[in-house]
Structures are given as C-alpha cells and as structure tokens.
Amino acid sequence: MRARVSDPFERRRRLGWAVAAVWLFFLGDPLSQAWHADNTVARHLGILALVAFAVTYVLSFRLMRAIPPESEAPPLPLRLGLIAAMLGLGALAVPGAGESALATLVYVAAAAVMLLPGRQRIAAVGLLAAASVTLPAAVPGWSADTGLVFGIVVASTAVFGMTKVVERNRQLLRAYEEIARLAVSEERSRMARDLHDILGHSLTVVTVKAELAGRLLPDHPGRAASEVADIERLSREALADVRSTIRGAREVTLAGELASARAALTGAGIDADLPSAIDEVPGDRRELFGWVVREGVTNVVRHSGARRCTVHVGRDSVEVVDDGRGPSSALDGSGLAGLHERARAAGARLTVARAGPHGGFRLRVELAPPAASMRA
C-alpha cells in the first residue's frame, strides 16, 4: 500500500486547534470559581459560558490557521463576530466566576491579533488592556491586577509573532508555487518550440520528396522508389527526434543540419551553396547555428519561391540567404519566434531582412566577438 504524502496545510487544519487549546488551562481558575458559585443559575451559566468561550476561541484560531495560501482571509464581519461572541460569553461568565472571568480578556486579545488586520488589532489590544484596568476599579469588591495587563500584552505579542511567521510561510509557499508554475510553462514552451522546429523541417523535406517522387514515378520509377525510401527514412528519423525531444535528449548539430539542408534544397529544385567545412565554428555555438540553418532552410523551401540559397557560416555568425520573394507574413509564425528565444538565450542577435534591392530573404544570427578580439 502506497504511503500518502500529507499536505502541510492539511496537517495545519488538523492540528491548528491544539495550538490554541494548549493555553486554555489558564481558564481553570474562572471555571473553578464558577463551579463553586452559591447561586445555581450563576454557576450553570458561568460553566456553560466558559466552555462555549473556550470552543469559540479554539475555532477562531483554527479558522485562521487552516486557510490555504492561495485563499483570502474570511470576511471581516465574520471575524468581528467571533470577537464579539467571545466578549459576550466572557461577560456571561462574570455572575458565576466573578472577577476571575476577566482572564478571558487575555484570550480575546490573542484572538483579536490573529483575526484583525493592521491597526485594528492594535486598537483592540489597547481597549482590552484599558478594560482590564478600569473594570476592577468600577466594580465594587474587585481589585486591580497589573498581571492581567501584562498577560494581555505578552499574549498579544506572542500571537503577533506567530501570525508573522504564518504570513511569511504563506508568501514563501506562493513563491515556490509560482516558480514551479513558471518552470512548467518554460518546459512546455521549450518542447513546443523544439517540436515545431523538428517537425516543421522534417515534414517540409518529406513533402518536397513526395512531390518529387510523384513527378518521377511515370518516367523514372527507379528514382521515384529511391525518393520514397528517403521519405520512409526521414519519417523514422522525425519520429526518433520527437521521442528524443520529449525525453530532453534531442541534440542538433551544425554538420547534420547542413547535410539535411542540402538534401531538402536539392529535392525542392533549389541550387544550394553550402559551406564544406565548419572547423572555425566553436563547439558551443554549433547547436545554435544548426537551429538557424534548419529554420532558415525550412522557410526557404516553404515560402521563398527561390532558385538559389546560400548559407554562410563563420566563427561568430551564421546566415541563410535566398533570391526569392523576400520577407512575408508567412514567416511571422512560431518558428522565428522560437529561434529568437534561442538566440537571445545564447546572447546572440537575430536579424531578418530583405537580402537586396531586388528581393530575397536574409536570416542572420550573430554573436558578439570575444572582448579580446575587440581591443585595438
């Protein structure tokens, strides 16, 4: 049986009452006073009021501590109602518990700090501290107790610190969730970009070869069969590339993309002028340059209507140029957007422009040369 991993907020819901209930033993004196009250009605009323007070106090703490980080706090009228109910129940305990019922003010102050926002909690604690001083002076037979004021201040400060810890934990968890969400979004974008680039190129070549095979079939069935065999091979390679991308193991090489580009351009009837050597290209740039060649040649075959395509590869740049129609709205898709993201991540600059005054298309990615080479 698989063990269940519990949610920390679920544990807080189950244990939040215990955090508040552990301090209820301070109600022992008022409860004892009510239990020994001479008046039966006052005795029963005091005991019931103190029990109800304890339950309300625990529920108020559990209410606030059980809120998930993505949720808003309960409505303010509900929170004020809980505080008012605690004050009322504390007042009902007075006939049976007498002056000792003022101990409930400490709990009300702690609950007010937990339930109220900002300055309202400060005002509530101040009023309760003042009440703990003025009530004994106003009621005959009661005596002032400075320890009660001290208890209100200490309890309020302790709960305030606890609320700050809870708030910080909520903020931290929200930050973790946002980081996880962004990581998932980034991974989805990467996979979408890679799949687009891989399938776009592969399907373009497959389409070109299928058209060529169809033209060759009546008069040159042998060559048509060879093109069909290439289509099968390319389809299998595309499937393998998709699987590698999903596993995160897809690798693009400049040499491989140049070879694929030659096959795609030749199949489309476009003269290909490609570099025969790439030795001067640093190894850490070859993957990016491979993506540029893939995307550029795919666009040439798909959209350009060109008769010739030239690829220039240097140490710091790669360029794909054709003599076709030039830039068009058909190029404003996710392919160039994905290539722009790759270039930006590598610290390179992507340029899309007309190749010359008579048309054509130029796709160029250039990295800044090393600082040493820029010195006079």
Side-chain angles (χ1 to χ4, degrees):
M1 181 176 180
R2 187 172 61 181
R4 179 185 176 187
V5 180
S6 59
D7 180 1
F9 287 100
E10 185 63 29
R11 292 197 300 269
R12 185 182 299 171
R13 290 186 182 94
R14 293 197 300 265
L15 301 176
W17 63 270
V19 176
V22 70
W23 301 104
L24 290 177
F25 69 89
F26 285 112
L27 289 178
D29 185 48
L31 189 61
S32 176
Q33 294 290 336
W35 185 270
H36 294 94
D38 295 332
N39 187 293
T40 303
V41 175
R43 179 169 64 249
H44 292 156
L45 180 62
I47 293 173
L48 290 175
L50 289 171
V51 171
F53 177 90
V55 172
T56 306
Y57 167 75
V58 171
L59 287 178
S60 67
F61 266 67
R62 184 178 183 186
L63 175 69
M64 296 302 294
R65 289 179 58 82
I67 302 172
E70 69 278 2
S71 302
E72 297 293 333
L76 183 60
L78 173 61
R79 291 177 276 160
L80 291 173
L82 286 171
I83 295 174
M86 293 175 65
L87 288 171
L89 291 169
L92 288 176
V94 169
E99 183 181 359
S100 64
L102 291 178
T104 57
L105 296 178
V106 177
Y107 296 90
V108 176
V113 172
M114 174 68 78
L115 295 171
L116 298 180
R119 296 179 180 179
Q120 295 183 21
R121 62 177 62 162
I122 298 175
V125 172
L127 289 173
L128 291 169
S132 68
V133 174
T134 57
L135 286 177
V139 178
W142 287 12
S143 58
D145 184 3
T146 56
L148 188 58
V149 177
F150 178 76
I152 290 174
V153 173
V154 170
S156 301
T157 303
V159 174
F160 178 76
M162 183 179 66
T163 58
K164 286 302 179 183
V165 171
V166 172
E167 290 174 5
R168 294 294 183 270
N169 287 340
R170 290 178 186 276
Q171 294 171 359
L172 187 60
L173 285 170
R174 289 192 187 101
Y176 284 155
E177 290 172 355
E178 181 65 13
I179 291 172
R181 186 189 67 79
L182 291 175
V184 171
S185 177
E186 176 65 22
E187 181 62 15
R188 287 175 177 171
S189 298
R190 183 196 66 79
M191 289 187 62
R193 181 185 64 208
D194 289 356
L195 289 174
H196 171 275
D197 294 345
I198 290 168
L199 291 180
H201 176 78
S202 299
L203 293 178
T204 296
V205 177
V206 166
T207 301
V208 169
K209 285 187 170 292
E211 293 174 351
L212 179 59
R215 293 195 302 268
L216 294 172
L217 187 58
D219 301 323
H220 304 282
R223 288 183 59 191
S226 176
E227 295 296 334
V228 170
D230 279 348
I231 291 173
E232 180 182 0
R233 176 183 58 79
L234 288 169
S235 300
R236 293 182 183 278
E237 289 177 357
L239 181 59
D241 287 343
V242 170
R243 290 171 175 168
S244 298
T245 299
I246 293 174
R247 293 196 305 267
R250 167 67 180 173
E251 292 185 0
V252 171
T253 64
L254 179 57
E257 294 306 322
L258 287 171
S260 297
R262 187 178 299 277
L265 292 169
T266 302
I270 301 173
D271 290 338
D273 182 5
L274 307 178
S276 57
I278 56 172
D279 297 339
E280 64 175 322
V281 180
D284 59 345
R285 299 179 181 180
R286 293 187 180 185
E287 181 179 359
L288 172 62
F289 286 9
W291 284 114
V292 176
V293 171
R294 173 183 282 262
E295 179 62 24
V297 170
T298 299
N299 287 334
V300 170
V301 174
R302 278 183 176 178
H303 310 297
S304 71
R307 296 184 302 274
R308 183 177 180 81
C309 175
T310 302
V311 176
H312 300 286
V313 176
R315 176 180 177 82
D316 302 317
S317 65
V318 58
E319 185 177 69
V320 181
V321 183
D322 67 61
D323 61 354
R325 288 185 290 268
S328 67
S329 59
L331 297 172
D332 297 335
S334 58
L336 287 180
L339 187 59
H340 177 73
E341 292 178 7
R342 295 182 195 276
R344 182 175 58 185
R349 182 179 62 204
L350 182 144
T351 304
V352 175
R354 190 174 296 275
H358 303 293
F361 179 78
R362 183 188 305 275
L363 174 65
R364 180 181 177 85
V365 168
E366 183 175 11
L367 288 97
S373 65
M374 299 177 64
R375 296 173 184 171

